Amino acid sequence: MADKNMRILVVDDFPTMRRIVRSLLKELGYTNVEEAEDGEEGLARLRAEAFDFVVSDWNMPNLDGLEMLKRIRADDGLKSLPVLMVTAEAKKENIIAAAQAGANGYVVKPFTAATLEEKLNKIFEKLGI
Amino acid sequence: MSEPRTIDPGHVSTASNDDMVQRIGQLARMLRDSMRELGLDKEVERAAEAIPDARDRLSYIATMTEQAAERSLNAIDRAQPLQDLMSERANALQQRWTTCQETLPLVQGSTEVARLIHDTQTYLAEVPEHTQATRQELLEILMAQDFQDLTGQVIKRMMDVIREIEQQLVQVLLDNVPAGEARENRRQKAQERDQGLLNGPQIDTSHADVMANQDQVDDLLDELGF
């Protein structure tokens, strides 16, 4: 069972989506949630503070989610951080690119609460969190 | 251009290409002249002028839908704690009734009162079930607000397309000589954008390489061994 106190960063440029993800996480028992509005801010926060999990959009201004993911994997301090992509990008090459860049999971928008829970638990299980 | 139009297929195609370019150039000149004669350049101008308005309208949709989504989310945030409170209070009250019944057997002497107590307790027992169901419905309303993110991305994309059309229309008005090269560049840019990784919500999921749902995404990831 994953620690419900784990610190989660939600990265999305749409405030509505950040709120939705935050509320869903709260519904699942995860209340320690922070937000960032693009990859640049997300990366800066990840480097400055300790987080246990990242839920990120793909298409964002300044630094997109895929690029952020690549930089996380290239950063010695962050490279093992689990990242779940939650995005409207739904082409085959998107999913391949995200998987190759080291995403731990991929959820396509629009998604359901059940899907998010299932993917989170799958990642926790795999990583033994 | 002095190439003989025979024998070597390579030369044939170069020659006919040159020919074609010339003919398209002539056509374009003809089109431009007839446009002016028929007053169509004014139509193009009007179309170009209508675009800022179209952009404003799209931006209005984006703003209004975002506000509506925000209002729904705020209302959900206010309603959820009320549901929790209602459930807690019903539980507490029911417990008090149970205790009360045990310590006051007298009350049960009256069948009327006994029935009232029974009905009240049944109702109190139902409250948490109903508040839980309401919570689920609130969650459903919350999830439905994700339309704002998806439509917002589509609107953004449409604004880009409109901006490009505007540029092209203005270009048509400005150019006396058809700028074939500029157009070619624009065409290439449009193509590159299509092939990029940022395509946003898939409106038409019938394409072969588009994932129509989460199951397909999962299958693909499984296939890739992730």
Short mmCIF file of all heavy atoms in Angstrom, two decimals, chain A residues 52-81:
data_model
loop_
_atom_site.label_atom_id
_atom_site.label_comp_id
_atom_site.label_asym_id
_atom_site.label_seq_id
_atom_site.Cartn_x
_atom_site.Cartn_y
_atom_site.Cartn_z
N ASP A 52 7.68 12.84 -4.35
CA ASP A 52 7.72 11.38 -4.50
C ASP A 52 7.11 10.90 -5.80
O ASP A 52 7.27 9.76 -6.20
CB ASP A 52 6.95 10.72 -3.34
CG ASP A 52 7.47 11.17 -2.00
OD1 ASP A 52 8.66 10.95 -1.75
OD2 ASP A 52 6.69 11.76 -1.23
N PHE A 53 6.34 11.81 -6.46
CA PHE A 53 5.59 11.38 -7.63
C PHE A 53 5.24 12.60 -8.49
O PHE A 53 5.00 13.68 -7.97
CB PHE A 53 4.29 10.67 -7.19
CG PHE A 53 3.72 9.77 -8.23
CD1 PHE A 53 4.06 8.43 -8.27
CD2 PHE A 53 2.82 10.25 -9.17
CE1 PHE A 53 3.53 7.58 -9.24
CE2 PHE A 53 2.28 9.42 -10.14
CZ PHE A 53 2.64 8.08 -10.17
N VAL A 54 5.22 12.40 -9.83
CA VAL A 54 4.85 13.50 -10.73
C VAL A 54 3.72 13.04 -11.66
O VAL A 54 3.77 11.95 -12.23
CB VAL A 54 6.05 13.94 -11.60
CG1 VAL A 54 5.64 15.09 -12.52
CG2 VAL A 54 7.22 14.36 -10.73
N VAL A 55 2.68 13.87 -11.77
CA VAL A 55 1.63 13.66 -12.75
C VAL A 55 1.73 14.83 -13.72
O VAL A 55 1.58 15.98 -13.31
CB VAL A 55 0.22 13.64 -12.10
CG1 VAL A 55 -0.86 13.48 -13.17
CG2 VAL A 55 0.13 12.54 -11.07
N SER A 56 2.03 14.55 -15.00
CA SER A 56 2.27 15.67 -15.91
C SER A 56 1.50 15.58 -17.23
O SER A 56 1.33 14.52 -17.81
CB SER A 56 3.77 15.76 -16.22
OG SER A 56 4.01 16.84 -17.11
N ASP A 57 1.07 16.77 -17.67
CA ASP A 57 0.50 16.98 -19.00
C ASP A 57 1.66 16.93 -20.00
O ASP A 57 2.83 16.92 -19.61
CB ASP A 57 -0.16 18.36 -18.99
CG ASP A 57 -0.90 18.67 -20.28
OD1 ASP A 57 -1.27 17.73 -20.99
OD2 ASP A 57 -1.10 19.86 -20.55
N TRP A 58 1.34 16.90 -21.28
CA TRP A 58 2.39 16.93 -22.30
C TRP A 58 2.51 18.33 -22.92
O TRP A 58 3.50 19.02 -22.82
CB TRP A 58 2.11 15.87 -23.37
CG TRP A 58 3.18 15.73 -24.41
CD1 TRP A 58 3.94 16.73 -24.94
CD2 TRP A 58 3.62 14.51 -25.02
NE1 TRP A 58 4.83 16.21 -25.86
CE2 TRP A 58 4.66 14.86 -25.93
CE3 TRP A 58 3.25 13.17 -24.90
CZ2 TRP A 58 5.30 13.90 -26.70
CZ3 TRP A 58 3.90 12.24 -25.68
CH2 TRP A 58 4.92 12.60 -26.58
N ASN A 59 1.41 18.74 -23.58
CA ASN A 59 1.43 20.01 -24.33
C ASN A 59 1.32 21.21 -23.41
O ASN A 59 0.23 21.53 -22.93
CB ASN A 59 0.28 19.99 -25.34
CG ASN A 59 0.39 21.11 -26.36
OD1 ASN A 59 1.27 21.98 -26.25
ND2 ASN A 59 -0.49 21.11 -27.34
N MET A 60 2.45 21.85 -23.13
CA MET A 60 2.47 23.02 -22.26
C MET A 60 3.46 24.05 -22.83
O MET A 60 4.39 23.67 -23.52
CB MET A 60 2.95 22.63 -20.85
CG MET A 60 2.02 21.69 -20.12
SD MET A 60 2.64 21.27 -18.48
CE MET A 60 3.98 20.14 -18.88
N PRO A 61 3.23 25.33 -22.54
CA PRO A 61 4.17 26.34 -23.02
C PRO A 61 5.51 26.24 -22.28
O PRO A 61 5.61 25.54 -21.28
CB PRO A 61 3.46 27.66 -22.69
CG PRO A 61 2.48 27.34 -21.61
CD PRO A 61 2.08 25.92 -21.81
N ASN A 62 6.50 26.96 -22.79
CA ASN A 62 7.86 27.05 -22.22
C ASN A 62 8.62 25.72 -22.27
O ASN A 62 9.60 25.59 -22.98
CB ASN A 62 7.83 27.57 -20.79
CG ASN A 62 7.20 28.95 -20.73
OD1 ASN A 62 7.43 29.78 -21.61
ND2 ASN A 62 6.38 29.19 -19.74
N LEU A 63 8.16 24.75 -21.48
CA LEU A 63 8.81 23.44 -21.52
C LEU A 63 7.71 22.39 -21.48
O LEU A 63 6.92 22.35 -20.53
CB LEU A 63 9.73 23.29 -20.29
CG LEU A 63 10.60 22.03 -20.27
CD1 LEU A 63 11.65 22.06 -21.37
CD2 LEU A 63 11.29 21.86 -18.92
N ASP A 64 7.62 21.55 -22.51
CA ASP A 64 6.52 20.58 -22.53
C ASP A 64 6.84 19.37 -21.66
O ASP A 64 7.96 19.21 -21.17
CB ASP A 64 6.12 20.20 -23.97
CG ASP A 64 7.17 19.37 -24.68
OD1 ASP A 64 7.76 18.49 -24.04
OD2 ASP A 64 7.41 19.60 -25.88
N GLY A 65 5.83 18.53 -21.47
CA GLY A 65 5.93 17.42 -20.53
C GLY A 65 6.97 16.39 -20.92
O GLY A 65 7.66 15.84 -20.07
N LEU A 66 7.10 16.14 -22.23
CA LEU A 66 8.06 15.14 -22.68
C LEU A 66 9.49 15.62 -22.40
O LEU A 66 10.33 14.87 -21.91
CB LEU A 66 7.89 14.87 -24.18
CG LEU A 66 8.77 13.73 -24.69
CD1 LEU A 66 8.25 12.38 -24.21
CD2 LEU A 66 8.87 13.73 -26.20
N GLU A 67 9.73 16.89 -22.71
CA GLU A 67 11.05 17.47 -22.48
C GLU A 67 11.38 17.47 -20.98
O GLU A 67 12.50 17.17 -20.59
CB GLU A 67 11.08 18.89 -23.06
CG GLU A 67 12.45 19.45 -23.32
CD GLU A 67 13.37 18.52 -24.09
OE1 GLU A 67 12.92 17.92 -25.09
OE2 GLU A 67 14.55 18.39 -23.68
N MET A 68 10.35 17.80 -20.18
CA MET A 68 10.56 17.80 -18.73
C MET A 68 10.94 16.39 -18.27
O MET A 68 11.87 16.21 -17.49
CB MET A 68 9.31 18.27 -18.00
CG MET A 68 9.49 18.33 -16.49
SD MET A 68 8.00 18.83 -15.59
CE MET A 68 7.06 17.32 -15.64
N LEU A 69 10.20 15.40 -18.80
CA LEU A 69 10.47 14.00 -18.45
C LEU A 69 11.92 13.63 -18.81
O LEU A 69 12.63 13.01 -18.01
CB LEU A 69 9.48 13.10 -19.19
CG LEU A 69 9.70 11.60 -19.10
CD1 LEU A 69 9.61 11.12 -17.66
CD2 LEU A 69 8.69 10.85 -19.96
N LYS A 70 12.35 14.04 -20.01
CA LYS A 70 13.72 13.71 -20.44
C LYS A 70 14.74 14.34 -19.49
O LYS A 70 15.75 13.72 -19.15
CB LYS A 70 13.95 14.22 -21.86
CG LYS A 70 13.25 13.38 -22.91
CD LYS A 70 13.50 13.95 -24.29
CE LYS A 70 12.76 13.13 -25.36
NZ LYS A 70 12.77 13.83 -26.66
N ARG A 71 14.45 15.58 -19.07
CA ARG A 71 15.41 16.25 -18.17
C ARG A 71 15.40 15.62 -16.78
O ARG A 71 16.44 15.59 -16.11
CB ARG A 71 15.09 17.75 -18.09
CG ARG A 71 15.30 18.40 -19.44
CD ARG A 71 15.40 19.88 -19.36
NE ARG A 71 15.26 20.43 -20.71
CZ ARG A 71 15.20 21.72 -20.97
NH1 ARG A 71 15.27 22.60 -19.99
NH2 ARG A 71 15.07 22.14 -22.21
N ILE A 72 14.23 15.15 -16.37
CA ILE A 72 14.16 14.45 -15.08
C ILE A 72 15.03 13.20 -15.14
O ILE A 72 15.83 12.92 -14.25
CB ILE A 72 12.70 14.06 -14.74
CG1 ILE A 72 11.89 15.31 -14.37
CG2 ILE A 72 12.64 13.02 -13.62
CD1 ILE A 72 10.40 15.06 -14.19
N ARG A 73 14.92 12.45 -16.25
CA ARG A 73 15.68 11.20 -16.38
C ARG A 73 17.18 11.47 -16.53
O ARG A 73 18.00 10.61 -16.24
CB ARG A 73 15.17 10.41 -17.59
CG ARG A 73 13.76 9.85 -17.41
CD ARG A 73 13.67 8.77 -16.36
NE ARG A 73 12.30 8.36 -16.10
CZ ARG A 73 11.62 8.68 -15.01
NH1 ARG A 73 12.22 9.37 -14.04
NH2 ARG A 73 10.37 8.29 -14.83
N ALA A 74 17.51 12.68 -17.01
CA ALA A 74 18.93 13.00 -17.20
C ALA A 74 19.54 13.63 -15.96
O ALA A 74 20.74 13.88 -15.90
CB ALA A 74 19.08 13.95 -18.39
N ASP A 75 18.72 13.87 -14.94
CA ASP A 75 19.17 14.54 -13.73
C ASP A 75 19.45 13.49 -12.66
O ASP A 75 18.56 12.73 -12.26
CB ASP A 75 18.06 15.51 -13.26
CG ASP A 75 18.51 16.37 -12.09
OD1 ASP A 75 19.14 15.81 -11.15
OD2 ASP A 75 18.22 17.58 -12.09
N ASP A 76 20.69 13.44 -12.17
CA ASP A 76 21.08 12.40 -11.21
C ASP A 76 20.22 12.41 -9.96
O ASP A 76 19.93 11.36 -9.40
CB ASP A 76 22.56 12.57 -10.82
CG ASP A 76 23.46 11.89 -11.85
OD1 ASP A 76 22.92 11.05 -12.61
OD2 ASP A 76 24.66 12.21 -11.90
N GLY A 77 19.79 13.61 -9.55
CA GLY A 77 18.99 13.70 -8.34
C GLY A 77 17.54 13.29 -8.52
O GLY A 77 16.84 13.04 -7.56
N LEU A 78 17.09 13.27 -9.78
CA LEU A 78 15.66 13.06 -10.02
C LEU A 78 15.35 11.82 -10.84
O LEU A 78 14.20 11.45 -11.00
CB LEU A 78 15.07 14.27 -10.76
CG LEU A 78 15.15 15.64 -10.08
CD1 LEU A 78 14.68 16.72 -11.04
CD2 LEU A 78 14.31 15.66 -8.82
N LYS A 79 16.39 11.18 -11.40
CA LYS A 79 16.13 10.23 -12.48
C LYS A 79 15.23 9.06 -12.12
O LYS A 79 14.61 8.47 -12.99
CB LYS A 79 17.43 9.74 -13.11
CG LYS A 79 18.34 8.97 -12.20
CD LYS A 79 19.60 8.60 -12.96
CE LYS A 79 20.62 8.01 -12.03
NZ LYS A 79 21.95 8.04 -12.64
N SER A 80 15.13 8.72 -10.82
CA SER A 80 14.28 7.57 -10.48
C SER A 80 12.87 7.99 -10.04
O SER A 80 12.07 7.16 -9.60
CB SER A 80 14.94 6.73 -9.39
OG SER A 80 15.23 7.55 -8.29
N LEU A 81 12.56 9.27 -10.17
CA LEU A 81 11.25 9.78 -9.79
C LEU A 81 10.16 9.24 -10.72
O LEU A 81 10.27 9.37 -11.94
CB LEU A 81 11.28 11.31 -9.88
CG LEU A 81 10.15 12.11 -9.26
CD1 LEU A 81 10.04 11.87 -7.77
CD2 LEU A 81 10.36 13.60 -9.54
#
